[in-house]
Amino acid sequence: MNSLIASTGIGMTSARTRERLVQKLVDQGIRNPVVLEQIRNVPRHLFVDEALATRAYENTALPIGLGQTISQPFIVARMTEALFEDAEPRKVLEIGTGCGYQTAVLAPLVKFLYSVERIKALQDRAKQVLSSLNLRNIYFRHGDGFRGWAGHAPYDAIICAAAPAEVPMALSKQLSVGGRLIIPIGPEGRQELIRITRRVDARGEEFVTQRLGLVAFVPLVQGVR
Ligand code: SAH
């Protein structure tokens, strides 16, 4: 690799490499063209360690340090698609910023994106990368996602990138009427992605649950560090 290619990262961000990833997601059933366009455009190699950058456009989760991972592109696409299916959420809460990749995919598609992360070191890194991409509608909070972010509630949608054993009460409470929560639920090795929609009518309030398939996420952990 010559130095120009090394410094600009052209080698791993070639249109062909990204196109191959997009094609894989299409093969796996992702249909929303706006979501596919975001996967094509967001420079995933900037969110991983330089040593892993050559693998950034593989359809796999990768380590980002501190025991955490960058989500698999398919999962990010699936969750984003589920968020926008028959809806246009404008104000969204994300739990588990991590490296900020999902944040970058989502931010241009919404008006306000609030993102909570419990590990300060990861949040600081994510902030840097996201500001270098000129994304200006993201608000960060270092905190425990089990509690959501009450100060800006209600949200049209909440997306959670780590799995609790059961749906945290605070998250369903912070949904607007008609709002949806996309969240993996269950212990390691037996998690299911679900979408919960808050409905309110004359008879009262109900939460409608839809199952979106089996997934593998890191656990949602209490407290901050
Ligand atoms: N969204 C990331 C994936 C992050 S992995 C991406 O696009 O790749 C899940 C993240 O959730 C980790 O960074 C982890 O630290 C964070 N997390 C786990 N429990 C949490 C909690 N209670 N509150 C906030 N963040 C939490």
Side-chain angles (χ1 to χ4, degrees), residues 114-190:
Y114 298 90
S115 192
V116 178
E117 169 59 52
R118 68 179 287 273
I119 302 178
K120 184 83 171 75
L122 286 179
Q123 187 196 37
D124 288 344
R125 233 193 293 156
K127 270 185 183 170
Q128 269 186 10
V129 180
L130 292 164
S131 83
S132 79
L133 294 176
N134 249 321
L135 296 167
R136 307 229 173 268
N137 59 339
I138 308 167
Y139 304 87
F140 298 92
R141 179 184 174 94
H142 177 226
D144 182 349
F146 272 99
R147 312 168 74 155
W149 189 345
H152 295 284
Y155 302 96
D156 302 327
I158 302 177
I159 186 167
C160 186
E166 50 194 59
V167 180
M169 180 92 85
L171 297 188
S172 31
K173 273 200 175 149
Q174 290 174 20
L175 287 174
S176 60
V177 174
R180 45 181 59 181
L181 164 62
I182 318 280
I183 188 169
I185 298 287
E188 228 170 316
R190 273 195 301 122

Side-chain angles (χ1 to χ4, degrees), residues 23-86:
Q23 190 51 51
K24 273 193 195 127
L25 302 192
V26 170
D27 294 345
Q28 285 183 283
I30 303 298
R31 291 286 172 266
N32 185 327
V34 175
V35 173
L36 291 168
E37 189 58 20
Q38 279 303 93
I39 298 286
R40 190 178 281 118
N41 289 339
V42 174
R44 191 168 184 257
H45 64 284
L46 299 183
F47 294 89
V48 297
D49 216 65
E50 252 177 86
L52 289 171
T54 54
R55 300 189 52 199
Y57 297 93
E58 292 176 13
N59 190 18
T60 53
L62 294 167
I64 54 171
L66 298 155
Q68 305 304 316
T69 52
I70 180 171
S71 296
Q72 185 194 18
F74 169 71
I75 284 296
V76 169
R78 183 75 192 91
M79 290 179 91
T80 311
E81 195 169 66
L83 210 65
F84 288 93
E85 199 179 341
D86 305 320

